[in-house]
Amino acid sequence: MTLGLQWWITMATSLEKLCTIKQKLTFMARDLHKQHIESVVNEALSSANVNLQDLDAVAVTVKPGLALSLRVGLDYALKLVEKSGKPLIPIHHMEAHALTARMIQRIDFPFLVLLVSGGHCLLAVARGVSDFLLLGHGMDDSPGDAFDKTARQLKLKNLPQFAEVPGGVAIETLAKLGNPKAFAFPHVLTQTPNCHFSFAGIKFAAKRLIESEEISQDVSASSVLPNAADVCASFQFGVLQHLAKRVQRGLLFCELKGLLPETNKTLVVSGGVASNKFLRAGLVKVCDKYSCKVVCPPPKLCTDNGIMIAWNGMEKLLSQEDFAQDPENVDIQPRCPLGVDISEEVSNTALKLPRIKLLDT
């Protein structure tokens, strides 16, 4: 009883500290937004050799995201609208990611989109600029978070070549030297025939594996496992297996329901994790089986960026969609799903998946 009580006290204290840290980071993000937003806008206008009156509209992210940061952006956008008399176009962050690829090449609606990032994971059908059907979404940790936490657990930053490199990039790079079949990672949600995503189990399995390997190999606190490349490769393959099955089921469901064209089907993969070439190659193998091409924006457009918001604003401007009739009544939505959720319909279809070989060897 005493041990259980002590465990709960320890957990509560840890959660309290974590909440305090997150709160401080949220305030820091808000302050940085406030500090730089005007100079960033002015620099963008100057680089484009235009002034505020030359613009056709002002696009701003209002959902989803950190409330305090969204508020800074919306408040500043409202000032620009008041000053210029231009219309305001509210932007959904996820919609912007989904449509970014249309900026680099022609992709006709409808198409399938997989968003994989540090904060989100979802699969949807894009039927129009503001028309989405949500097939599946993340149930817990995001893939980007799983990559970052696993890289941290492996202490990859202690290696000189990865000291200033994001965790996901470090894992992808080191994985090239490893064996993806060295360790078996759990197959997630295999008994649930839906398109939802879960990376908490994969992340926890990586943590347990690393701890076990460090003990068995007597690795010191600051040292990196000698077989870290194998861990990275196996972890990355585990992530691919999960993503591949969800995309495969999404393609089969769309085929069954006629949600995608019979020819010239497209899967757009966007978000920060979409920069991972190993994951891309694996998804291409899946899509090849269903005569579907894969399109990924260049890495600089995969992560969060202002260009995708501007592009989404332009798409809405050209289609005359989602203009704010009364800008002063526009508000932020920190939590906001994408489109119409039909994930239950996907589950009820209970599609069985044929095996697809994801590795060349």
Side-chain angles (χ1 to χ4, degrees):
M1 180 68 74
T2 305
L3 183 60
L5 179 61
Q6 181 62 45
W7 183 85
W8 278 110
I9 292 173
T10 302
M11 284 298 294
T13 304
S14 298
L15 287 171
E16 185 179 357
K17 288 180 179 178
L18 180 61
C19 288
T20 301
I21 292 170
K22 284 188 174 180
Q23 189 177 42
K24 287 181 179 179
L25 291 174
T26 302
F27 284 122
M28 286 175 61
R30 178 202 61 187
D31 294 342
L32 286 170
H33 273 63
K34 279 185 176 180
Q35 182 181 345
H36 296 289
I37 191 166
E38 185 166 12
S39 61
V40 168
V41 170
N42 289 336
E43 184 179 344
L45 291 170
S46 177
S47 298
N49 197 28
V50 297
N51 57 51
L52 184 58
Q53 292 303 324
D54 293 326
L55 304 182
D56 294 302
V58 176
V60 59
T61 306
V62 296
K63 56 188 174 184
L66 293 175
L68 295 179
S69 297
L70 290 174
R71 176 62 63 192
V72 172
L74 177 58
D75 287 348
Y76 190 78
L78 289 172
K79 288 180 182 178
L80 295 180
V81 167
E82 183 179 7
K83 182 179 179 181
S84 65
K86 304 296 180 180
L88 181 75
I89 305 178
I91 300 295
H92 191 298
H93 180 190
M94 301 297 105
E95 290 182 7
H97 269 302
L99 300 184
T100 303
R102 281 167 52 88
M103 183 170 62
I104 59 173
Q105 69 181 78
R106 176 170 178 169
I107 304 173
D108 294 328
F109 295 112
F111 60 87
L112 194 62
V113 58
L114 173 67
L115 174 60
V116 277
S117 70
H120 303 275
C121 192
L122 58 84
L123 186 68
V125 178
R127 300 194 298 182
V129 173
S130 303
D131 184 5
F132 293 83
L133 296 177
L134 185 64
L135 304 183
H137 58 78
M139 299 176 66
D140 43 56
D141 300 331
S142 70
D145 180 68
F147 269 94
D148 288 340
K149 295 289 173 54
T150 300
R152 192 176 307 164
Q153 187 78 21
L154 280 167
K155 297 169 287 191
L156 296 185
K157 283 194 176 294
N158 291 354
L159 298 175
Q161 66 269 39
F162 300 133
E164 304 296 328
V165 174
V169 176
I171 285 180
E172 181 185 5
T173 304
L174 195 55
K176 295 174 183 177
L177 305 176
N179 176 10
K181 294 183 178 180
F183 302 101
F185 272 74
H187 293 269
V188 184
L189 301 179
T190 54
Q191 302 304 313
T192 51
N194 58 38
C195 287
H196 292 323
F197 300 89
S198 172
F199 294 94
I202 296 174
K203 186 176 77 171
F204 182 69
K207 182 177 184 295
R208 291 288 300 270
L209 171 63
I210 294 165
E211 290 173 346
S212 173
E213 287 294 301
E214 286 181 340
I215 291 172
S216 65
Q217 299 190 47
D218 195 24
V219 173
S220 65
S222 60
S223 298
V224 177
L225 279 170
N227 59 341
D230 285 341
V231 175
C232 288
S234 301
F235 163 79
Q236 189 173 240
F237 183 47
V239 171
L240 172 61
Q241 287 178 304
H242 184 47
L243 291 173
K245 288 185 180 298
R246 275 31 214 168
V247 169
Q248 184 183 9
R249 179 169 286 115
L251 286 167
L252 285 170
F253 178 79
C254 289
E255 187 176 279
L256 180 68
K257 299 295 182 178
L259 297 177
L260 295 176
E262 292 185 8
T263 60
N264 199 30
K265 291 193 286 285
T266 302
L267 169 70
V268 169
V269 186
S270 191
V273 180
S275 300
N276 186 300
K277 293 180 180 178
F278 176 81
L279 297 182
R280 287 191 191 188
L283 293 174
V284 167
K285 286 184 171 65
V286 174
C287 288
D288 282 347
K289 296 291 184 180
Y290 300 95
S291 302
C292 178
K293 67 178 179 180
V294 176
V295 177
C296 300
K300 68 178 181 179
L301 296 180
C302 281
T303 54
D304 290 347
N305 61 87
I307 297 174
M308 73 180 191
I309 305 303
W311 173 259
N312 195 212
M314 193 186 79
E315 292 244 51
K316 292 178 183 292
L317 179 67
L318 293 175
S319 61
Q320 293 294 294
E321 296 182 34
D322 297 340
F323 280 67
Q325 299 302 319
D326 185 359
E328 292 298 330
N329 284 333
V330 174
D331 202 1
I332 60 171
Q333 293 179 252
R335 294 183 179 275
C336 183
L338 175 71
V340 177
D341 189 339
I342 62 168
S343 58
E344 187 173 346
E345 186 179 349
V346 177
S347 298
N348 292 338
T349 307
L351 292 166
K352 293 186 178 180
L353 306 179
R355 293 177 64 88
I356 294 179
K357 186 178 180 181
L358 297 174
L359 295 176
D360 295 327
T361 56

